[in-house]
Amino acid sequence: MDSLALLCTGALLAGGLFWFVCILGPAEQKGKRAVDLSGGSISAEKVQDNYKQYWSFFRRPKEIETAEKVPDFVDTFYNLVTDIYEWGWGQSFHFSPSIPGKSHRDATRIHEEMAVDLIDVKPGDRILDVGCGVGGPMRAIASHSRAQVVGITINEYQVNRARLHNKKAGLEDLCEVVCGNFLGMPFQDNSFDGAYSIEATCHAPKLEEVYAEIFRVLKPGSLYVSYEWVTTEKYRADNPEHVDIVQGIERGDALPGLRNYKDIAETARKVGFEIVKERDLAKPPAQPWWTRLKMGRIAYWRNHILVTILSALGIAPKGTVDVHEMLFVTADHLTRGGETGIFSPMHMILCRKPE
C-alpha cells in the first residue's frame, strides 16, 4: 500500500511538473528555450550592469530628449528583452485585438496580414518592414503576400535571430534582414513598392525623422501603413493615474515619450505623405488587445520561478530576473492603459507618397 501511494505521489508530481513546464510553457515552443536565455549581444557578466544603466536613463530625463543617445538606449533594451519576449510571448513583438474562437497566434497573424493587405502589394514587390524585430510579422507577411520583404532592426542580435527563423521557415528567399537605424536607412531613394511598421516607430525620438526616411525610400505612388503607440482622447495630463500609467509604459518599453494620437497624421503630412485612412484598431467593435496580458499571469509566475532558479544556478545571466520583473510591471501598466482607454498600441495610419 505504501509503495502504491508512493508511486501515485510520484506520478502526480511528474504530471504536475509536466503541466507546469510544458502545458503552461513558453509561447513559442520551437523558438527560444528558458535554458538559452541571454542578454542578446551583451556578454553574460554585463547583463545586470546594462540593466542598471538602462533604468538610470529615466533618472536623467534630459537625456531622453537627446536624440543621438536614444538608438543606443533602444539597442540595449532589445538586447535585454529579446530572448524573454521570444520565450514568453512569441516571435511577433506586438499586440493584436482578441478574436473570439481564434488563438493568440492566429489573431496576431491576421493583424499582420491586414497591414500588407492595406498597402496593396503584389507577389514579387519589394516592401520594407520598419523595425522588424526577430521577424515574426515579416514571415507572416511574406507567406501571405509572396512579396519580397526587407526588414531593418537596430539590434544585431535580432538580425541573427530573424535570419535563423527565416531559414527554419523556408522563407530566406523572400525575407532579408538588415542591421541599421531606421532614422538613417542604408537604402536608395525610391526603392520600395510599399512599407509597414508594426508598433516600432514609437522608439523614434522624433517621429518626423523616421517618417521622412520612409518617404524617401518609397517609390512615388506607394503606400505605407503604421500601427502606432499613442495616448488617446481619454488621456488627461492632469490626472495622476494617467500620468503614472504612461510613464510606466515609457520606462518598461524603451520609449523616448508616448505621442498623442493627433500628432500622427500631422507628422505624416509634414514630410509629404497623403493620408489615405486613419483609425484606432483597438476601438470597438475590436475585442480588447490586453486580455492576453491578463491571462498570462499564471505563466508569468511559472516563468519567473524558472528564471530565478536558472539565474541562481548560473545558467541565465545575473540581471535576467530583474529584466523579467520589469516586463511584468510594464504589463500591468499596459493593461491599465487598455482598460482605461487612455492608451492604444495600434493607432493605424495609411499613407501614400504622391506620384
Side-chain angles (χ1 to χ4, degrees):
M1 192 68 171
D2 289 342
S3 298
L4 181 60
L6 187 61
L7 183 63
C8 290
T9 301
L12 284 172
L13 288 172
L17 183 62
F18 176 80
W19 177 82
F20 189 66
V21 175
C22 298
I23 304 303
L24 284 177
E28 196 59 45
Q29 296 287 353
K30 296 181 181 178
K32 179 63 63 172
R33 298 182 306 163
V35 293
D36 296 325
L37 293 178
S38 72
S41 299
I42 301 170
S43 59
E45 65 274 11
K46 294 183 178 180
V47 168
Q48 193 163 49
D49 288 342
N50 274 261
Y51 168 75
K52 291 177 180 177
Q53 289 170 11
Y54 168 82
W55 203 245
S56 68
F57 188 83
F58 288 97
R59 299 193 188 103
R60 303 188 299 274
K62 288 185 178 180
E63 291 193 12
I64 299 176
E65 300 169 5
T66 308
E68 63 269 19
K69 292 191 176 183
V70 171
D72 287 340
F73 162 69
V74 173
D75 185 40
T76 296
F77 173 77
Y78 277 110
N79 274 321
L80 292 171
V81 306
T82 290
D83 277 357
I84 294 176
Y85 274 3
E86 193 176 332
W87 172 55
W89 188 262
Q91 295 172 15
S92 294
F93 297 175
H94 64 82
F95 298 104
S96 60
S98 300
I99 301 177
K102 298 286 187 181
S103 67
H104 294 308
R105 183 177 294 189
D106 284 342
T108 296
R109 175 182 51 77
I110 290 167
H111 193 57
E112 293 164 351
E113 291 174 354
M114 183 175 67
V116 73
D117 288 342
L118 283 166
I119 60 174
D120 194 28
V121 297
K122 306 180 299 295
D125 280 353
R126 185 170 183 255
I127 63 176
L128 177 63
D129 182 330
V130 184
C132 65
V134 298
M138 170 192 295
R139 287 181 287 279
I141 284 170
S143 297
H144 177 66
S145 67
R146 307 312 294 177
Q148 299 280 336
V149 186
V150 179
I152 185 168
T153 171
I154 199 169
N155 185 262
E156 186 176 358
Y157 182 70
Q158 290 188 337
V159 170
N160 295 330
R161 292 294 297 169
R163 288 174 178 167
L164 175 66
H165 289 310
N166 292 345
K167 187 173 182 180
K168 283 183 178 180
L171 291 168
E172 64 267 41
D173 291 339
L174 287 179
C175 298
E176 177 187 349
V177 191
V178 174
C179 189
N181 187 340
F182 57 33
L183 300 178
M185 295 188 283
F187 306 124
Q188 293 182 353
D189 295 357
N190 310 314
S191 56
F192 287 95
D193 299 297
Y196 65 88
S197 52
I198 299 178
E199 302 184 29
T201 56
C202 53
H203 294 300
K206 295 181 181 178
L207 189 63
E208 181 180 344
E209 292 182 359
V210 65
Y211 276 13
E213 269 295 276
I214 295 165
F215 186 90
R216 177 183 68 81
V217 302
L218 277 178
K219 294 177 182 178
S222 297
L223 293 166
Y224 163 61
V225 67
S226 184
Y227 298 167
E228 293 287 348
W229 282 31
V230 298
T231 56
T232 72
E233 70 281 359
K234 294 184 178 181
Y235 174 73
R236 298 289 180 269
D238 58 354
N239 184 318
E241 181 188 5
H242 290 189
V243 173
D244 178 65
I245 290 169
V246 166
Q247 289 182 347
I249 292 171
E250 291 170 347
R251 286 193 301 268
D253 284 296
L255 306 184
L258 269 174
R259 300 177 178 92
N260 185 271
Y261 76 102
K262 293 180 180 178
D263 298 333
I264 307 304
E266 181 182 345
T267 303
R269 289 191 185 96
K270 189 174 182 180
V271 304
F273 279 120
E274 299 170 349
I275 310 304
V276 178
K277 188 182 297 184
E278 183 181 18
R279 69 186 180 95
D280 189 345
L281 301 178
K283 288 187 174 180
Q287 296 295 307
W289 54 267
W290 61 90
T291 53
R292 186 178 176 189
L293 291 170
K294 297 180 74 172
M295 292 169 64
R297 288 177 182 272
I298 296 176
Y300 162 77
W301 287 111
R302 186 287 321 272
N303 289 352
H304 199 65
I305 292 169
L306 191 53
V307 167
T308 302
I309 293 171
L310 292 173
S311 183
L313 294 174
I315 298 171
K318 286 184 178 180
T320 306
V321 176
D322 294 327
V323 176
H324 193 262
E325 185 172 355
M326 175 189 76
L327 295 179
F328 179 68
V329 172
T330 305
D332 183 60
H333 285 107
L334 288 163
T335 300
R336 289 165 60 199
E339 290 177 334
T340 57
I342 67 169
F343 165 74
S344 171
M346 52 191 75
H347 184 89
M348 184 277 290
I349 185 164
L350 179 64
C351 311
R352 178 182 284 112
K353 181 175 179 177
E355 296 277 3

